[in-house]
Amino acid sequence: MSVEGAIGEVRLPPEPVTHRTRPPGVATRLWCGSVTFFFASFLFAYVFLRSLDVHKDWVIGHVEPSGGLGVTVMALMVLSGIIWRIGHFRPVDTIATGVVAIVLGIVAVALQILQYTTIDFGGASGAYASVFIGWTSTYILGAIPGLYWIETQLATLVRARKREVSEADQAVLRAGVEASSFFWAYYAAIGVVTFIFLYVI
Amino acid sequence: MQDNTPHFRRLALLWVVSSIVLTAIVVFVLAPGMPPGNGTVQASGQVVDNTVLLGLSTPVALGVLLCLGYCLIVFRERPGDDPHLEGPAIRGNSSIQMWWLVVTTTLVLFLAAFGSIELLKDGAGGGQGPNPLSVVGNPKSTLQVQVIAQQWQFTYRYPQYGGFETNKLEIPANTTVEFHVTSLDVIHSFWAYQLGVKADANPGQDNIAYVQTKAPMNFAVHCAELCGVWHGYMFDSGKVVPKTEFASWVTQQRKYFSPETHLLTPYRHTYFPAPQRRGG
Amino acid sequence: MMTTATAMPLPARKPLGQRLLGFNLLTALILAVVGYWIGHLIGGAVHAPSIKYYSTEAGYNDISVFLGYLGGVIGFLTGLGFANYPVRRMLGHPPDLPGHAEVNEPGLWKYLRLSTDHKVVSLQYLAGIGIFFFVGGLNAMLIRTELLSPTTHVFGPNQYLTLVGLHGSMMMGMMTSGILGPFANWVVPTMIGTRRMAFPRLEALTFWLLMSAGVVLITTIFFGGFQTGWTGYEPLSDQGTAGFDAYVGFFALVGMSMTLLGLNLMVTIITMRAPGMTWSRLPIFVWAVFATCVLMVIATPMLIAVLLMGAMDRTVQTAFFEPGNGGSAQLYQNLFWFFGHPEVYILAIPGFGIVLELLPVFTRKPLWGYRTGIAGMLGVALLSFFVWQHHLFVSGINADLRPFYMLSTEMISLPTGFTFLCVMGTLWRGRIRLTVPMLFCMGWAFNFLFGGISGVFLSDVPSDVTTHGSFFSMAHFHYTIMGGLVFTFFAAIYYWGPKMTGLKFSERLGKWHFWLLFIAFNSTFGPLFALGFMGMPRRVVTYPLNLQGLNVWVSISAYFIAISMLIFLWNVVQSLVFKREPAEANPWQSKSAEWQLPTPVPAYDFIEWPDIGPDPYPYGEPVEDYSGAPAPVGGAA
Ligand code: HEM
Ligand SMILES: [Cu+2]
Ligand SMILES: [Cu+2]
């Protein structure tokens, strides 16, 4: 490789492959930390407002989001997370599992939106209603970039099938799949916590 | 290049001497004038805290400043020095590091313990929430005053005197006063400077602060939490008056406001605002 | 397949007309306006006319304002070219690294576009943050002008509070990246031995997000301003009109920028160190950046979350913070300060790093207590998550826990003390060169000492009963931020500036700048301690008559701060525009990696990473008779 630099033509030693394979995984784990603290705020709001409930306005009126849809959304997210993670561990199945994971994820998003159309309360119906709306909507909104991420991995893998890919580039691709599957599985786990607090407790 | 000057001993001597002198000045000259004065037991307590903090931080600050100053003066590279000369490659000294840790930890633990004792003793005039940990005085002889903050004024209710509401704050001397601070709209903070009292006024919450008054005096009241456009104008004043004067003032006020008092919401610890907007 | 980040031939330069049509700042601004109006129209279409929004009185609805900002930012970023790569990835193009041969381009054009070279991004950061720093400073001057008199005379109370809020938010939001943005982006890759950050596009994104944040904040003046100060307490902010939406948008964008900046730097430090660059050989500045990034990655998402809750209260009618419907004002206070306290250490720790990094250079000695310094910074970072309720000592919330928060807060002075110990140890028996950067470091030591000691007063509950919410606390945090962070910010500019710009700054003007700033700063903020003690609350446009004398003194001193800043500005303009005197490659005889590069620094930074040996601070004459010295850094001899 050469560069027309200030001091003329130079040759640069190649960058270690790990500079391209390690960052996605590390970044994803840190990002999961950020996401955790993001949703921890909603958890904090939940616990704080529920324990504070001095004026008996944790729930005002009739506030019951459909539990059936709630459990389905959670189950779909968990399934999607597990499948895509399995796909990462089994390179031959990666593309197939990825497609399934995306479909499940999209259905989860759609069902969540469907649930919003069926609820008969608004944010002002007490603290629970606020936390419910805030937490589920940010959660499901956050799933969309996750789905996009899986899609980019699949698209890349599909294209890569058509051409020669060096071993180093192969490793880079696998690193991307690993990162997105880790995130997606982690995000599903957050979905479980969301579900437990909003529907079970 | 070997420098045998006893820098450390010199600096230490300088520090000890100047610390003694300066700390004495600070504690005996400056500290008695520390805020918020000695008008009440709680205010005096704060003066004690401020004095202790000042007294302890003087030698600490002096130590650091003297060391910085000494180094900058003595160890400066002078014009004409050989620029290739470097300092000694000292990378640390575990015993100094240990001692530093021990001394600072001791200081911090002492300060935290001291502050906690001072706080728990008499509440230090701060807002303690609805269930105060340090209850001061005999509940029977305690005067209760409710401070109601709203944009942008304070009003006061005296529940033991029929619950009338007035915009004047008078409290008797040599009495324990229990302030119940609450708000009708946004967060305010009731700051009675000379009393040494500060307690946030939260909507829908009761916040209790105690003060034990001493001699009669006047005091200033400010709102100490940004509460909107006219926050800067939300100030007031109050009086600590002799007990007899308070008795006649309160009877007079009670009579004066009696036509309105029964129209008020009955006395409560919080006046919860009705939901401000739209339903569910 | 490219194997290096920088290896790309310089393309032939297109004519200006063609360049203007591409992805650049101009396109971005146009698309931002378009995006804003699209968002605004959508918001107008979807909002419920039956609902009384918080900003209804001003003729807006909050949904359209928020969507407008969202659309505007998306348009802006698209115009810069940020959408290209994500779309390419979606179509299945393999991950690749951006080339950035444009670094070698002469002229300013490269700074007005998306650039992924860490050196260009750093200078973009420096200029961008600098501009907003001056805007914030101008606000401060206006505030001080108003406070010349105890009654209102220049501004009305609404304008005054908007100025205070603008100043506080601008400074807090921008200066959090004040050292990490311009300097960590530049030197950390070089210090650890790589040519780029882990995610160069992300690096650029953090900068442009921050700039759009600044613009969003300024738009508040078109919507009536906001009256809440930088803390935006609820439910007061619920009374705010659309001007408060600007605050929410601003801090949310700043939060995103900060989180991603921290993430990127952290990943770079973890994964891209050169062979042999073990953790115990990292320069202390890298450690400071690392400790800061931990806070950024963990604490900032909570800010974004709390702002989102506020935004939902204002748009989709939730009631997180609305006491009437089940919410709580104190929920906001808790969440805000859970972010807010780590935030103030995000401001402080990079300053520690700068001071400890520069001292060995200017004392010609190794850093004294390398491990202690690291322990101090990591300790501060860790403890800062356990102290947030010291902002709520008199609020009546969890009052019984106050002794705990008093202890944890005072404990922070232990690791902070480590930094001071390292400073004193390094100065001891050094051969001190009082250059301009060194002067600023010493200014830091002086100011931060008083900032820290006044912090102990504020952490002592009985004392805090008087000082909370008064000018005392105002003085305290200016001593730590302005006297701490901003002084090190200037130290870094004078120290690394010649390497980053390739040009020399005037030493004489630098010294003028320092001495004037140092004296004026202390003369401005020192008396504020007294004013606070005397009972002057924060954020008030009026004050008792007897405090006027001191306030006038403070205001006049503040004008001298402004003059010192003008001297600085003149120094910069003179060096960069008029004189353009090339800087030496290593004017400070520093031994760290970035100074071994030639000046001006080539696009590829280095061919072979300078072999700087196992010791980050190889200064000083060896000493044999020194007992108790720990083994050299990294255990390597
Ligand atoms: C140029 C010198 C500066 C001057 C003269 C100055 C002056 C002021 C003044 C007069 C206030 C309002 C005080 C009040 O009424 O409560 C204020 C508030 C504030 N300043 Fe500065 N300041 C300066 C620099 C800075 C810097 C560098 C920072 C941070 C990086 C900063 C951060 C803040 C913050 C966070 C507030 C609080 C705003 C609020 O109350 O919401 N200031 N400053
Ligand atoms: Cu108020
Ligand atoms: Cu704090």
Side-chain angles (χ1 to χ4, degrees):
Chain A
M1 282 314 111
S2 62
V3 159
E4 210 70 63
I7 53 169
E9 180 119 332
V10 291
R11 273 178 192 286
L12 297 178
E15 202 181 47
V17 188
T18 53
H19 280 19
R20 293 197 295 141
T21 53
R22 283 191 68 207
V26 175
T28 304
R29 279 149 184 85
L30 295 176
W31 182 245
C32 287
S34 298
V35 171
T36 307
F37 272 79
F38 179 86
F39 286 109
S41 310
F42 286 96
L43 180 59
F44 185 90
Y46 180 98
V47 176
F48 189 91
L49 293 179
R50 187 162 189 171
S51 65
L52 197 73
D53 191 20
V54 269
H55 303 283
K56 302 281 163 271
D57 43 19
W58 170 246
V59 169
I60 301 175
H62 179 81
V63 180
E64 257 175 58
S66 150
L69 281 173
V71 88
T72 320
V73 170
M74 182 204 68
L76 288 173
M77 287 298 289
V78 170
L79 215 60
S80 178
I82 292 176
I83 287 180
W84 181 225
R85 189 69 182 158
I86 291 176
H88 146 66
F89 283 118
R90 300 170 50 130
V92 276
D93 296 335
T94 307
I95 293 179
T97 53
V99 172
V100 177
I102 290 185
V103 171
L104 291 178
I106 291 176
V107 176
V109 174
L111 287 184
Q112 182 64 64
I113 293 170
L114 181 71
Q115 190 197 36
Y116 289 146
T117 64
T118 65
I119 57 179
D120 55 356
F121 59 88
S125 312
Y128 170 76
S130 297
V131 178
F132 175 82
I133 292 178
W135 196 342
T136 52
S137 64
T138 43
Y139 179 74
I140 218 66
L141 220 67
I144 294 171
L147 288 170
Y148 160 80
W149 194 1
I150 303 177
E151 193 278 337
T152 61
Q153 300 307 314
L154 292 183
T156 321
L157 289 178
V158 170
R159 274 207 183 209
R161 282 198 308 207
K162 295 185 202 134
R163 59 185 166 83
E164 261 323 272
V165 181
S166 72
E167 208 163 298
D169 286 345
Q170 199 61 261
V172 174
L173 294 189
R174 298 307 313 171
V177 173
E178 196 282 333
S180 84
S181 70
F182 183 90
F183 172 77
W184 195 237
Y186 191 87
Y187 204 67
I190 291 181
V192 176
V193 176
T194 310
F195 175 81
I196 290 176
F197 274 92
L198 292 180
Y199 294 92
V200 181
I201 299 181
Chain B
M1 185 200 68
Q2 195 65 22
D3 177 5
N4 287 322
T5 331
H7 292 297
F8 195 77
R9 235 177 300 152
R10 267 204 220 161
L11 181 61
L13 192 71
L14 202 63
W15 176 63
V16 170
V17 173
S18 57
S19 289
I20 292 173
V21 175
L22 224 89
T23 312
I25 294 179
V26 161
V27 171
F28 295 109
V29 180
L30 201 59
M34 283 304 277
N38 286 306
T40 66
V41 174
Q42 277 69 15
S44 298
Q46 292 175 26
V47 173
V48 171
D49 268 60
N50 283 334
T51 308
V52 169
L53 289 171
L54 264 186
L56 283 178
S57 49
T58 308
V60 174
L62 258 181
V64 175
L65 289 180
L66 283 176
C67 178
L68 292 177
Y70 190 92
C71 292
L72 289 184
I73 293 168
V74 177
F75 303 127
R76 261 270 281 297
E77 193 179 65
R78 317 259 162 219
D81 281 3
D82 176 1
H84 297 293
L85 273 183
E86 306 226 312
I90 318 167
R91 286 161 196 283
N93 178 323
S94 27
S95 72
I96 292 183
Q97 274 150 297
M98 270 308 294
W99 275 110
W100 176 271
L101 187 60
V102 169
V103 171
T104 50
T105 310
T106 317
L107 266 178
V108 159
L109 290 181
F110 167 75
L111 280 180
F114 171 76
S116 302
I117 292 169
E118 283 283 307
L119 170 67
L120 298 178
K121 196 175 66 187
D122 58 7
Q128 303 193 51
N131 308 303
L133 197 59
S134 344
V135 179
V136 184
N138 177 356
K140 281 203 205 90
S141 57
T142 301
L143 172 71
Q144 293 188 11
V145 179
Q146 184 173 48
V147 179
I148 303 171
Q150 59 187 300
Q151 285 168 326
W152 285 273
Q153 63 168 344
F154 292 107
T155 51
Y156 311 94
R157 281 188 93 164
Y158 288 76
Q160 290 147 326
Y161 298 91
F164 71 85
E165 181 169 350
T166 164
N167 60 359
K168 293 195 187 63
L169 178 56
E170 284 197 21
I171 50 178
N174 296 312
T175 311
T176 304
V177 182
E178 186 178 299
F179 287 111
H180 288 260
V181 185
T182 189
S183 163
L184 301 184
D185 37 48
V186 303
I187 303 176
H188 302 263
S189 191
F190 171 67
W191 181 15
Y193 175 76
Q194 285 85 349
L195 298 185
V197 169
K198 191 178 281 153
D200 278 9
N202 300 296
Q205 267 204 350
D206 185 24
N207 193 6
I208 297 177
Y210 289 97
V211 67
Q212 292 158 290
T213 56
K214 296 188 196 165
M217 65 169 177
N218 293 334
F219 55 86
V221 172
H222 282 283
C223 175
E225 185 57 66
L226 181 51
C227 57
V229 178
W230 299 102
H231 164 64
Y233 293 83
M234 192 167 162
F235 52 79
D236 202 349
S237 64
K239 275 192 220 162
V240 181
V241 294
K243 277 187 179 161
T244 47
E245 199 177 309
F246 175 75
S248 61
W249 176 80
V250 88
T251 341
Q252 181 261 329
Q253 290 281 309
R254 183 175 185 171
K255 218 167 101 205
Y256 180 79
F257 283 108
S258 62
E260 283 97 44
T261 303
H262 70 279
L263 300 174
L264 297 175
T265 321
Y267 178 82
R268 272 190 275 138
H269 283 326
T270 62
Y271 303 92
F272 207 63
Q276 292 157 0
R277 313 172 281 157
R278 73 249 163 177
Chain C
M1 190 66 233
M2 290 198 336
T3 44
T4 66
T6 47
M8 261 241 289
L10 186 62
R13 231 174 150 190
K14 288 186 233 143
L16 186 68
Q18 266 180 38
R19 272 187 282 152
L20 282 182
L21 277 179
F23 293 106
N24 58 40
L25 192 55
L26 186 67
T27 322
L29 290 175
I30 294 169
L31 286 189
V33 175
V34 173
Y36 178 84
W37 281 109
I38 294 177
H40 193 81
L41 291 177
I42 296 177
V46 301
H47 86 287
S50 60
I51 290 174
K52 187 171 165 292
Y53 289 93
Y54 290 109
S55 51
T56 303
E57 269 132 75
Y60 300 99
N61 75 78
D62 299 275
I63 295 185
S64 64
V65 178
F66 277 123
L67 287 183
Y69 285 140
L70 187 69
V73 172
I74 291 176
F76 182 71
L77 295 177
T78 311
L80 282 164
F82 278 103
N84 304 0
Y85 183 66
V87 171
R88 273 219 315 281
R89 292 285 286 133
M90 211 171 152
L91 300 178
H93 290 276
D96 63 9
L97 289 165
H100 44 248
E102 77 278 359
V103 202
N104 293 327
E105 269 176 23
L108 293 178
W109 180 243
K110 62 184 174 224
Y111 297 109
L112 302 178
R113 280 181 296 161
L114 194 179
S115 171
T116 50
D117 182 277
H118 70 107
K119 301 183 288 300
V120 175
V121 177
S122 299
L123 280 172
Q124 286 176 325
Y125 252 118
L126 192 55
I129 288 182
I131 289 170
F132 285 114
F133 177 73
F134 274 88
V135 173
L138 190 67
N139 288 332
M141 293 309 134
L142 297 179
I143 298 172
R144 283 313 325 174
T145 305
E146 171 58 48
L147 290 181
L148 279 169
S149 111
T151 56
T152 52
H153 65 125
V154 188
F155 304 107
N158 186 25
Q159 283 159 314
Y160 178 79
L161 287 178
T162 299
L163 280 174
V164 171
L166 267 177
H167 163 74
S169 312
M170 188 72 87
M171 290 295 191
M172 289 307 248
M174 290 292 156
M175 292 312 283
T176 14
S177 309
I179 287 183
L180 260 50
F183 302 111
N185 270 327
W186 207 107
V187 296
V188 164
T190 313
M191 279 180 164
I192 66 173
T194 172
R195 292 189 185 83
R196 61 172 176 99
M197 296 280 272
F199 304 105
R201 290 185 189 87
L202 209 58
E203 185 187 12
L205 180 66
T206 62
F207 166 72
W208 291 106
L209 274 177
L210 195 64
M211 291 304 107
S212 37
V215 175
V216 166
L217 181 64
I218 289 178
T219 58
T220 188
I221 52 184
F222 305 117
F223 296 121
F226 61 103
Q227 293 78 35
T228 62
W230 87 277
T231 45
Y233 273 6
E234 302 270 353
L236 172 64
S237 58
D238 274 356
Q239 299 175 347
T241 59
F244 189 74
D245 296 340
Y247 165 95
V248 173
F250 166 76
F251 260 122
L253 289 167
V254 166
M256 283 176 221
S257 165
M258 269 163 67
T259 313
L260 296 176
L261 175 65
L263 188 87
N264 197 2
L265 277 162
M266 221 163 145
V267 174
T268 310
I269 297 172
I270 293 175
T271 61
M272 299 179 61
R273 280 167 290 123
M277 188 38 118
T278 56
W279 286 96
S280 55
R281 289 176 186 174
L282 288 179
I284 193 113
F285 179 64
V286 179
W287 272 107
V289 169
F290 191 81
T292 312
C293 291
V294 174
L295 297 181
M296 282 181 151
V297 168
I298 290 180
T300 322
M302 302 200 75
L303 170 72
I304 303 176
V306 69
L307 291 169
L308 251 168
M309 293 179 198
M312 283 193 267
D313 276 9
R314 296 172 71 81
T315 53
V316 295
Q317 321 300 312
T318 55
F320 284 100
F321 308 125
E322 198 191 314
N325 287 326
S328 158
Q330 289 176 333
L331 172 64
Y332 182 90
Q333 290 180 313
N334 271 294
L335 284 173
F336 183 85
W337 286 114
F338 190 86
F339 148 79
H341 195 84
E343 153 80 4
V344 304
Y345 283 99
I346 296 174
L347 292 161
I349 299 177
F352 298 0
I354 298 268
V355 171
L356 296 182
E357 180 69 31
L358 266 53
L359 275 184
V361 180
F362 297 112
T363 56
R364 313 312 295 167
K365 271 182 71 194
L367 180 63
W368 193 95
Y370 172 79
R371 276 155 206 266
T372 309
I374 295 171
M377 294 186 297
L378 292 179
V380 167
L382 183 74
L383 278 175
S384 69
F385 283 106
F386 300 96
V387 300
W388 80 94
Q389 284 197 357
H390 63 206
H391 297 271
L392 308 173
F393 274 156
V394 297
S395 74
I397 187 78
N398 292 352
D400 301 349
L401 289 181
R402 286 178 299 173
F404 166 75
Y405 285 105
M406 187 173 349
L407 175 66
S408 61
T409 305
E410 283 167 1
M411 292 245 292
I412 286 205
S413 51
L414 300 178
T416 313
F418 287 178
T419 308
F420 272 94
L421 185 65
C422 295
V423 168
M424 292 188 287
T426 310
L427 287 174
W428 194 251
R429 287 175 188 273
R431 299 190 60 78
I432 298 170
R433 297 179 180 165
L434 277 184
T435 55
V436 179
M438 181 67 175
L439 282 174
F440 276 99
C441 289
M442 293 297 98
W444 171 89
F446 184 90
N447 299 335
F448 207 86
L449 179 67
F450 289 101
I453 286 178
S454 55
V456 178
F457 282 74
L458 289 162
S459 65
D460 181 272
V461 182
S463 182
D464 184 59
V465 169
T466 289
T467 48
H468 173 83
S470 76
F471 259 38
F472 186 92
S473 79
M474 228 274 280
H476 156 72
F477 67 71
H478 279 90
Y479 259 85
T480 52
I481 305 177
M482 170 98 193
L485 168 82
V486 172
F487 270 63
T488 58
F489 174 67
F490 283 116
I493 292 181
Y494 283 107
Y495 179 69
W496 281 308
K499 182 58 82 184
M500 291 168 69
T501 60
L503 298 169
K504 210 175 191 159
F505 293 112
S506 156
E507 171 111 11
R508 200 171 51 86
L509 286 178
K511 287 197 167 150
W512 271 100
H513 173 204
F514 170 76
W515 283 110
L516 196 55
L517 178 62
F518 181 71
I519 294 167
F521 166 79
N522 279 288
S523 146
T524 304
F525 291 101
L528 293 188
F529 287 121
L531 275 174
F533 267 154
M534 287 154 79
M536 180 158 167
R538 280 170 72 178
R539 301 157 161 179
V540 291
V541 64
T542 59
Y543 53 82
L545 192 58
N546 63 329
L547 302 179
Q548 188 175 16
L550 267 179
N551 266 302
V552 170
W553 172 277
V554 167
S555 292
I556 292 175
S557 309
Y559 297 144
F560 279 97
I561 297 186
I563 295 175
S564 80
M565 293 299 167
L566 291 181
I567 296 181
F568 166 73
L569 213 58
W570 171 238
N571 194 353
V572 171
V573 171
Q574 194 194 38
S575 319
L576 300 190
V577 182
F578 297 121
K579 284 204 174 151
R580 297 196 66 81
E581 205 179 319
E584 297 156 53
N586 190 358
W588 320 113
Q589 291 94 43
S590 169
K591 296 187 183 174
S592 66
E594 76 277 12
W595 286 102
Q596 313 312 317
L597 311 184
T599 304
V601 185
Y604 47 83
D605 290 3
F606 49 82
I607 299 173
E608 286 293 341
W609 189 49
D611 183 13
I612 52 167
D615 179 353
Y617 302 104
Y619 301 95
E621 321 283 347
V623 275
E624 276 101 44
D625 61 334
Y626 200 82
S627 58
V633 171

